Amino acid sequence: MTWAWGVRCQLRALRAERHQWRAEHERFKAAQRAARKEGKEPDVDHPGPPPTGFALLPWLLMGMGSFSNLLQGRTPNPWIGSLGLLTFNSLYIYVTFRSFDRQKREAVSTRVALLVMGLVTTGLALGYGGNWLLFFPLLGLATGAALRGPWLGRTGVLLAAYAGAISAVRDGSDAVNIAYGTFLSSMVTAAILSLSEAVRELRAAREELARRAVEKERLRFSRDLHDLLGHTLSVIVVKSEAARRLAPRDMDAALGQITDIESVGRQALTEIREAVTGYREGSLATELTRARSALSAASVEPVVRQSGAPLEPQTEALLSWVVREAVTNVVRHSDAGRCEITVDSGAEQVRLTVTDNGSGRAVSRPQQGIGGTGLKGLTERLAAAGGSLTAGPSPRGGFTVTAELPVESARFAEAVATAPRAR
């Protein structure tokens, strides 16, 4: 029962592979017809021969001469010849079908079957000669399908010499042709099947790279959307609360907050459009201005200090995301009354520090399945650019986020490419 179930599984796998090959072949022919109409080359590669032993079955027709001799009674001891023919064909099918799977091809059972096949071929050739010698090229074909590697060349030469010697002993006249046919069938079969397998592996690798590129872009978009909307919605909520508190006693101030909400919403729409295309521009000065506005609306006193030389756009892009994330955490989680943002640019590195006097709780844990969000994602981005990010409670109370980056780094382009990119 287990054997029958295994056979059914093998047949299902073969049918699935055959169906996939046919689909790829039809797609190639359709692309070829379309390209021919437009006078261009098809942009779909030829799938090559089908990746199953069915491609090698037609070569068994070389044994039709021996089968004809059996039917016409020209073969002595026909029962032995029939048994040998059946055994050879069975071993041929077994070896060739297993040759399209690397693990099965290199299994001991396949090598043993190939060896038995060689012994059967030798016995039939010595016993009958004539058309039965054509089983040597079939043996070479099976050998080339099963033995693909550094030993193939030596094995092919030895097998051809062996086939020629047996042919010379039995008939003499066809020894050279049998040796040449055996060597050629083994080498050509191995070359074609190896090339076809390499093409399939390259096609699979290309599809995997395309799939990973799509996943990477999807991850970038989800990360950008999380960071953008997390900050923007926090600012909108804080300003809405401020407008609600101010409305009963100071309508003008409340209207000012509502105007800010409108401005933040419009800016968010612009940033989301830029995030979709991956061309969002990160400006540290703009982010510091937004930080002041968000902190003030949350009744947190903002203190911003900036010193040193101007920064490169890539550096500003990364630091602006640190400011955005840190200020969002202050507004949403810290219960702070004061927040200090310090940017100090030296000759070799720039340091950004965001400190508050709030509760000092760790915040911004990234969600499962969304990489690159929160402080963990920022740490990875800065590390990719040769920098570092530390975050934790301050000795004097509150929470401190410190980011350090080299002023110039050849790895900035890669880091910004994995972060919301500035170009």
Side-chain angles (χ1 to χ4, degrees), residues 231 235 238-239 289-300 327 331:
H231 173 79
V235 173
V238 170
K239 287 186 174 290
T289 302
R290 294 175 185 170
R292 289 191 186 96
S293 175
L295 292 170
S296 298
S299 300
V300 179
V327 170
V331 170

Side-chain angles (χ1 to χ4, degrees), residues 81-82 110 125 150 153 175 187 207 223 227 255 278 304 327 353 367 378 387 393 420:
S82 299
T110 305
M187 294 296 105
E207 293 176 354
R223 179 180 60 218
D227 293 342
L255 290 175
V304 179
V327 170
T353 305
Q367 300 177 6
L378 289 173

Side-chain angles (χ1 to χ4, degrees), residues 386-400:
S388 63
L389 185 140
T390 57
S394 302
R396 295 176 297 176
F399 197 83
T400 300

Side-chain angles (χ1 to χ4, degrees), residues 40-312:
K40 300 178 181 178
E41 290 293 329
D43 55 356
V44 178
D45 296 333
H46 193 283
T52 65
F54 288 108
L56 302 179
L57 288 184
W59 292 102
L60 285 175
L61 294 176
M62 292 177 64
M64 287 299 296
S66 303
F67 184 69
S68 176
N69 290 342
L70 285 173
L71 292 180
Q72 295 176 7
R74 299 178 182 177
T75 303
N77 300 316
W79 289 106
I80 296 178
S82 299
L83 182 61
L85 183 62
L86 178 62
T87 303
F88 179 89
N89 289 342
S90 300
L91 290 172
Y92 178 88
I93 294 173
Y94 178 81
V95 171
T96 53
F97 271 81
R98 291 176 65 88
S99 297
F100 287 84
D101 185 293
R102 185 186 299 273
Q103 185 176 1
K104 294 179 180 179
R105 182 170 69 237
E106 297 175 353
V108 176
S109 58
T110 305
R111 305 300 170 87
V112 172
L114 191 62
L115 178 60
V116 174
M117 187 178 171
L119 295 176
V120 172
T121 304
T122 302
L124 294 175
L126 288 175
Y128 298 114
N131 291 329
W132 297 84
L133 295 174
L134 295 178
F135 285 115
F136 273 114
L138 285 175
L139 175 63
L141 192 150
T143 302
L147 301 180
R148 303 181 220 166
W151 290 93
L152 176 63
R154 284 176 249 182
T155 303
V157 171
L158 291 176
L159 182 60
Y162 178 75
I166 296 296
S167 301
V169 170
R170 186 62 177 81
D171 285 352
S173 59
D174 290 336
V176 176
N177 292 333
I178 295 298
Y180 177 73
T182 302
F183 178 77
L184 191 64
S185 63
S186 60
M187 294 296 105
V188 171
T189 301
I192 292 177
L193 294 184
S194 297
L195 181 60
S196 177
E197 187 174 281
V199 169
R200 287 195 297 273
E201 291 176 354
L202 288 174
R203 184 182 293 113
R206 184 174 60 187
E207 293 176 354
E208 177 66 16
L209 289 175
R211 185 185 63 81
R212 290 188 180 184
V214 172
E215 289 182 353
K216 184 177 180 181
E217 182 63 14
R218 187 179 300 153
L219 180 63
R220 180 199 67 80
F221 179 69
S222 65
R223 179 180 60 218
D224 290 6
L225 197 61
H226 171 275
D227 293 342
L228 287 169
L229 292 183
H231 173 79
T232 302
L233 293 177
S234 298
V235 173
I236 290 176
V237 169
V238 170
K239 287 186 174 290
S240 299
E241 292 175 349
R244 178 176 53 80
R245 291 195 304 268
L246 292 172
R249 63 178 185 273
D250 190 347
M251 184 56 68
D252 291 338
L255 290 175
Q257 295 293 336
I258 293 174
T259 302
D260 288 345
I261 292 173
E262 181 183 1
S263 176
V264 170
R266 293 182 183 278
Q267 182 63 32
L269 289 174
T270 302
E271 290 181 343
I272 289 174
R273 294 190 188 100
E274 293 172 346
V276 170
T277 58
Y279 287 93
R280 185 179 181 277
E281 191 72 30
S283 170
L284 183 58
T286 302
E287 205 58 56
L288 291 175
T289 302
R290 294 175 185 170
R292 289 191 186 96
S293 175
L295 292 170
S296 298
S299 300
V300 179
E301 179 186 357
V303 179
V304 179
R305 302 186 184 93
Q306 187 171 5
S307 61
L311 302 175
E312 294 292 328

Side-chain angles (χ1 to χ4, degrees), residues 4-64:
W5 179 80
V7 171
R8 285 198 298 269
C9 290
Q10 289 288 340
L11 290 176
R12 273 198 294 266
L14 290 174
R15 282 197 295 266
E17 291 179 356
R18 186 75 177 180
H19 180 73
Q20 181 180 359
W21 178 84
R22 285 180 178 174
E24 293 179 355
H25 193 67
E26 291 297 327
R27 187 166 65 247
F28 169 77
K29 290 196 294 186
Q32 193 176 40
R33 286 193 297 267
R36 192 179 293 116
K37 291 180 180 179
E38 298 177 0
K40 300 178 181 178
E41 290 293 329
D43 55 356
V44 178
D45 296 333
H46 193 283
T52 65
F54 288 108
L56 302 179
L57 288 184
W59 292 102
L60 285 175
L61 294 176
M62 292 177 64
M64 287 299 296

